[in-house]
Structures are given as structure tokens and as C-alpha cells.
Amino acid sequence: QVQLVESGGGLVQPGGSLRLSCTASGSIFSINVMGWYRQAPGKQRELVAAISSGSSANYADSVKGRFTISRDYAKNTVYLQMNSLKPEDTAVYYCNVNLYYSGSDSKYYWGQGTQVTVSS
């Protein structure tokens, strides 16, 4: 059994900042990729940023230069630092983790989602 617990969402004014956190716990052998997706009302879920086990990161073009993804290997935690937020960043943000729960079996897991609202 694996759980992902997210935190850090909320309401912020345009130009403001938020930091999201997602911690994985349970039967974890090792963690591969950790990432963040978002889904705005009426839109498809999209990748925001992801970071590999080797700390290689990639970002959606819409957030490059504003968002930074990082991870704490000891805490099984991934962070998303969001700066210069825009109203179009408003969405539910979901943590997504690919991990091995045994030596050879891996699976993707989703967090419960956290709302980010950017509005004046």
C-alpha cells in the first residue's frame, strides 16, 4: 500500500508564490520519476513538471522560468515552487509518482489533488 499526501495549495494573488509538497509513504522499494500535473475546469490534465531519480527535470513551456521542481530523496518528497503565478495557473494540482513496490514491480500513483487559485 502506497499513499501520496499533498499540501501547499491555496489562494494567491497574481505575481505571488506558492510551494506544493507531496510525500510518498508505505511499501516503497525505490522511487523513479516524481511529477506534478494540473487540471483546470473543462480542460485535460497536463504535465507541469517532472524530476527523475537522477534529478533531471523537465517543464511545460508555460511554466518554464517560473516553476521549479525538486525532491528530497530521504523524505520521499517532491516539491513544486511556483513563482510569478498567473490566473491561468489556476487548477487542481496532482502529484504523480512512479515507484517500485518490489525489486521488479513498478506502478504509477496519484495524489488526491490540491487546489491552486490565482486571483485578485
Side-chain angles (χ1 to χ4, degrees):
Q1 191 78 2
V2 173
Q3 298 83 36
L4 299 183
V5 177
E6 303 172 11
S7 62
L11 172 64
V12 64
Q13 292 187 342
S17 298
L18 284 174
R19 190 175 86 149
L20 306 183
S21 300
C22 172
T23 298
S25 63
S27 301
I28 299 171
F29 185 79
S30 65
I31 298 179
N32 293 330
V33 178
M34 306 184 84
W36 291 94
Y37 287 72
R38 67 185 180 187
Q39 188 167 20
K43 294 188 177 181
Q44 289 188 332
R45 191 172 296 189
E46 62 175 359
L47 175 68
V48 176
I51 184 166
S52 71
S53 57
S55 295
S56 175
N58 63 286
Y59 299 91
D61 288 343
S62 59
V63 307
K64 283 180 181 177
R66 300 188 298 121
F67 291 10
T68 302
I69 190 169
S70 61
R71 61 191 284 181
D72 185 323
Y73 292 85
K75 296 180 179 179
N76 289 339
T77 298
V78 61
Y79 304 97
L80 186 67
Q81 178 66 43
M82 304 185 293
N83 299 328
S84 303
L85 282 161
K86 304 175 181 180
E88 51 264 43
D89 294 317
T90 295
V92 178
Y93 284 70
Y94 296 92
C95 175
N96 179 261
V97 174
N98 176 245
L99 60 85
Y100 282 91
Y101 53 90
S102 72
S104 59
D105 299 310
S106 66
K107 185 178 177 180
Y108 283 90
Y109 293 86
W110 289 94
Q112 80 280 7
T114 185
Q115 177 70 47
V116 172
T117 302
V118 184
S119 175
S120 55

